[in-house]
């Protein structure tokens, strides 16, 4: 054989030898070292079942559980194991069609893979659970998994407590290093969101061995690889659930908010945002439908108006203007201002005021005289020690910011807004490079460009009651087992207002606020045995209707605290598009104060006031229009559906169906008692924020 051919034959032999060695090596790797195929083999023999922990329970200030847990079940599927499932009977069992079944399977496979367990139907109703528990053995790849779900015994404080929802891909991306996976639930709003890592606990895993028909044969390796679920930590709030209930009752069929704070601790006693809803509405098998209903409700019930809406504070802001004016020395308690019915200092006749006369400081606060506080503000802007109106405005804002205005307070809830203390830059477009005091005069009475949240106003009342200090408002007082994430540290620091403000100034403002209740604008809301200091506010506001800006009914405001000498509650109330502050917000606040300090509403007259204000209806006109539009569209859709049903029925009656092609009905079976697995009990869903449209017209008033 030629040498050339011998060399070529040897090369071929070497190639075959190398290929053989590679194949042998890969076989060894697959058999002995490959984790991928080892796991695949184990997954065929082992069922890993996630054990969801109980989330932490939330208690109010008197240790009443206002958010706890109950058991429910999810229907879980492993797509790779569903071959041969009788899809038609399974869909009938779940009351879905085969198209929906296929869509869900595609979505689950795309999100979570073909061999991992995924939730096919979450939070089963009692009836659905019973049907599935009886028949689940017929459908390989499907199983029932127990889950702890949230329940709300008092059905209140939805905006405070928040809700949990199944995590989606967006949430997983944002929290990719926190161990979440498809099928998990997480807090999305309120305390559930803010304290998620405290409340969530840790998932556990149980491993079961399966035979070749996927039937569970018992614990895998006697459970040595199982991990126990760790419950979330319980939390104790400053919130008083009975006060919260009364606030939600008084604000029914209204739009607005109530916030009450314990001035000594900063603990929030109640936080009402109206309209609200029963938080139980967002649990259970109808959760998605109810969530959609609330999302598209024109009343915007998901908006927490206590800290997620900015308002012009109106005359309640005069307390701060007065404090700054007294501190800067542009007035004293004996300074008098004459009001002929309007402010004369800017030559425009604005702002107007109802109470003509001559006022000193206490009387000006009591009767909320616009001319008096416009004079104070103008003098502040003209102070000779400030070279310009811009610099005077900046100096004013330094004082106001120390009262918590113009910035987030840091409340332990998501979605808090800043509010606004306008600076010179906010007026450039309107007035050019140079400002004059009369350009800003509306700020004197809490209108203009000043904006606050209601939590900021309640906090300012707490500061005035404490004569110059506060703790950041917060809901959580303590966490059982310790605050391992140091989330409560921010609420133990004492904050002070500008050090230039003397104690005598706070005394003067408190004198005026007490006079508001004794003979001033809120005299009808006084309580004989409680010394209340308060300030009413009536706020003009506008809205765009069909492209035209139109004036709307006034917002009603009140801020105050009680009792004066040992303040235990500071409160702020806003009722949108209702009436004067003295006529709506002040009476509501006085009822809340009495309930908290005396534990009840006492006497026939006060109880009648409670009934009256519960039954009053104040729905903003713009919102009424949106509701009417939505109802009209809904009626049209219902009529179309009814017509289609009639057509379908007529077609069915006119056709002659071949009975032999119809599937035979399944024989009726008697459901045996469910053993070992408890049937979850669920409360009836309800929406507490029922809307009753009132056709009464709000009176047009110019008051305080």
């Amino acid at each position: 054989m030629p040498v050339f051919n011998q060399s070529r034959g040897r090369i071929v032999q070497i190639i075959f030898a190398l290929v053989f060695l590679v194949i042998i090596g890969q076989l060894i790797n697959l058999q002995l070292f490959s984790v991928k195929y080892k796991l695949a083999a184990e997954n065929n023999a082992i069922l890993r079942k996630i054990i969801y922990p109980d989330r932490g329970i939330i208690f109010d200030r008197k240790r009443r559980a206002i958010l706890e847990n109950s058991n429910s079940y999810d229907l879980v599927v492993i797509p790779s194991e569903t071959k041969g499932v009788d899809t038609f009977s399974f869909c009938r069992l779940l009351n879905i069609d085969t198209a929906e079944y296929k869509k869900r399977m595609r979505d689950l496979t795309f999100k979570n893979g073909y061999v991992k367990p995924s939730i096919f139907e979450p939070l089963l109703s009692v009836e659905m659970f019973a049907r599935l528990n009886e028949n689940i053995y017929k459908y390989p790849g499907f199983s029932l998994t127990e889950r702890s779900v949230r329940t709300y015994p008092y059905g209140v404080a939805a905006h405070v407590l928040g809700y949990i929802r199944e995590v989606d891909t967006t949430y997983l991306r944002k929290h990719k290093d926190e161990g979440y996976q498809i099928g998990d639930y997480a807090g999305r709003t309120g305390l559930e969101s803010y304290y998620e890592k405290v409340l969530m606990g840790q998932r556990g895993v149980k491993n079961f061995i399966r035979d070749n028909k996927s039937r569970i044969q018992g614990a895998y390796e006697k459970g040595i690889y199982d991990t126990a679920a760790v419950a979330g930590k319980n939390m104790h709030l400053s919130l008083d659930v009975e006060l919260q209930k009364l606030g939600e009752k008084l604000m029914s069929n209204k739009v607005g908010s109530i916030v009450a704070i314990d001035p000594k601790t900063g603990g929030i006693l109640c936080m009402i945002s109206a309209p609200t809803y029963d938080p139980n509405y967002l649990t259970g098998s109808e959760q998605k439908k109810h969530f959609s209903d609330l999302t598209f409700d024109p009343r915007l019930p998901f908006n927490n108006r206590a800290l997620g809406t900015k308002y012009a504070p109106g005359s309640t802001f005069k307390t701060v203007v007065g404090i700054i004016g007294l501190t800067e020395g542009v007035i004293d308690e004996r300074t008098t201002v004459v009001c002929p019915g309007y402010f004369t200092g800017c030559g425009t006749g604005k702002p107007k005021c109802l109470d003509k006369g001559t006022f000193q400081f206490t009387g000006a606060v009591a009767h909320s005289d616009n001319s008096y506080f416009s004079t104070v503000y103008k003098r502040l802007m003209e102070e000779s020690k400030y070279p310009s109106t811009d610099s005077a405005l900046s100096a004013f804002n330094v004082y106001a910011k120390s009262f918590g205005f113009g910035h987030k307070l840091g409340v332990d809830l998501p979605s808090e807004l800043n509010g606004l203390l306008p600076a010179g830059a906010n007026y450039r477009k309107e007035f050019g490079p140079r400002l004059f005091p009369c350009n800003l005069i509306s700020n004197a009475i809490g209108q203009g460009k000043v904006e606050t949240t209601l939590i900021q106003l309640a906090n300012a009342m707490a500061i005035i009651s404490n004569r110059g200090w506060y703790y950041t408002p917060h809901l959580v007082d303590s966490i059982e087992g310790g605050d391992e994430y140091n989330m409560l540290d921010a609420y133990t620091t004492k904050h002070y207002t500008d050090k230039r403000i003397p104690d005598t100034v706070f005394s003067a403002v408190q004198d005026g606020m007490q006079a508001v209740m004794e003979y001033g604008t809120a005299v009808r809301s006084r309580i004989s045995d409680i010394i209340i200091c308060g300030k009413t506010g009536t706020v003009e506001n506008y809205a765009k209707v069909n492209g035209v800006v139109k004036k709307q009914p006034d917002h009603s405001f009140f801020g105050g605290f009680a009792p004066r000498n040992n303040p235990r509650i500071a409160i702020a109330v806003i009722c949108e598009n209702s009436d004067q502050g003295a006529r709506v917000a002040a009476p509501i606040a006085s009822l809340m104060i009495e309930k908290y300090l005396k534990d009840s509403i006492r006497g026939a007259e006060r109880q009648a006031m409670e009934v009256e204000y519960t039954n009053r209806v104040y729905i903003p006109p713009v919102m009424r229009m949106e509701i009417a539009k939505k109802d009209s569209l809904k009626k049209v859709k219902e009529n179309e559906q009814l017509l289609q049903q009639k057509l379908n029925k007529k077609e069915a009656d006119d056709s002659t169906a071949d009975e032999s092609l119809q599937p035979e009905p399944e024989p009726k079976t008697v459901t045996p008692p469910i053993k070992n697995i408890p049937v979850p009990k669920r409360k009836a869903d309800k929406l507490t924020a029922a809307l009753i449209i009132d056709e009464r017209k709000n009176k047009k008033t110019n008051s305080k």
Side-chain angles (χ1 to χ4, degrees), residues 230-269:
V230 179
K233 292 185 176 182
N234 299 335
M235 301 196 309
H236 296 265
L237 309 186
S238 54
L239 186 136
D240 186 309
V241 71
E242 292 298 331
L243 188 66
Q244 182 78 21
K245 282 175 63 178
L246 176 62
E248 293 190 12
K249 176 183 172 184
L250 291 170
M251 291 300 291
S252 59
N253 297 314
K254 302 171 184 68
V255 176
S257 180
I258 304 173
V259 176
I261 298 172
D262 183 341
K264 300 304 181 188
T265 66
I268 296 172
L269 303 173

Side-chain angles (χ1 to χ4, degrees), residues 257-309:
S257 180
I258 304 173
V259 176
I261 298 172
D262 183 341
K264 300 304 181 188
T265 66
I268 296 172
L269 303 173
C270 72
M271 180 182 284
I272 291 94
S273 178
T276 186
Y277 56 92
D278 187 328
N280 289 296
Y281 200 60
L282 293 182
T283 62
S285 57
E286 296 292 308
Q287 181 189 60
K288 288 184 179 179
K289 177 185 179 300
H290 296 160
F291 186 85
S292 177
D293 291 343
L294 292 171
T295 299
F296 295 104
D297 190 324
R299 297 166 297 173
L300 305 177
F302 279 139
N303 179 22
N304 185 349
R305 289 174 167 82
L307 43 79
T309 299

